Amino acid sequence: MEDCVFCDIVNRELKAKVLYENERVMAFYDLVSVAPVHFLVISKTHIVAAKAIDKENSGVVAEIFEVIAELAKKLELVDGFRVVTNSGKLAGQTVKHLHFHVLGGRVFEWPPG
Ligand code: AMP
Ligand code: ZN
């Protein structure tokens, strides 16, 4: 596997502001916030992007969404929040390890730009 910054965070080779972790899932604040609340939730296993989710690995995606719901409650995102995953070049994916952005604390336009 090529070098992966999110695997480095999982392996504690790179520091991050970790919000939550268990054996399969990790959540940490994004380095470059685009909203008052902006964190990422990842699978600890390296999955390249949403395009690579299949029957073998989709269980962790359900767990990621359970963690998102828990953290949204904990961080009091009661008026709403947005979950985004970018898959591939056209979507602007820059880190090729499946991650879900959780954005809150402001209004988000729809459709997105
Ligand atoms: P994407 O463009 O959807 O692939 O999102 C990748 C996100 O990872 C960007 O919002 C980056 O700011 C964020 N990011 C990159 N490196 C780190 C890091 N070391 N710690 C936390 N967030 C990071
Ligand atoms: Zn990785």
Side-chain angles (χ1 to χ4, degrees), residues 6 9 28-32 40 86 92-95 99 101:
F6 290 176
I9 288 172
F28 51 89
Y29 284 105
D30 198 294
L31 212 52
V32 186
L40 305 172
N86 298 316
Q93 182 181 10
T94 57
V95 178
H99 55 282
H101 296 257

Side-chain angles (χ1 to χ4, degrees), residues 62-100:
E63 194 169 354
I64 283 171
F65 273 84
E66 289 174 31
V67 169
I68 288 172
E70 273 175 37
L71 290 176
K73 208 176 291 172
K74 188 173 166 190
L75 296 175
E76 301 180 331
L77 301 177
V78 287
D79 292 328
F81 58 92
R82 180 166 286 181
V83 181
V84 174
T85 191
N86 298 316
S87 181
K89 197 167 54 178
L90 287 182
Q93 182 181 10
T94 57
V95 178
K96 293 182 183 69
H97 178 133
L98 178 66
H99 55 282
F100 294 84

Side-chain angles (χ1 to χ4, degrees), residues 1 4 6-7 46 97:
M1 188 203 312
C4 172
F6 290 176
C7 284
H46 185 89
H97 178 133

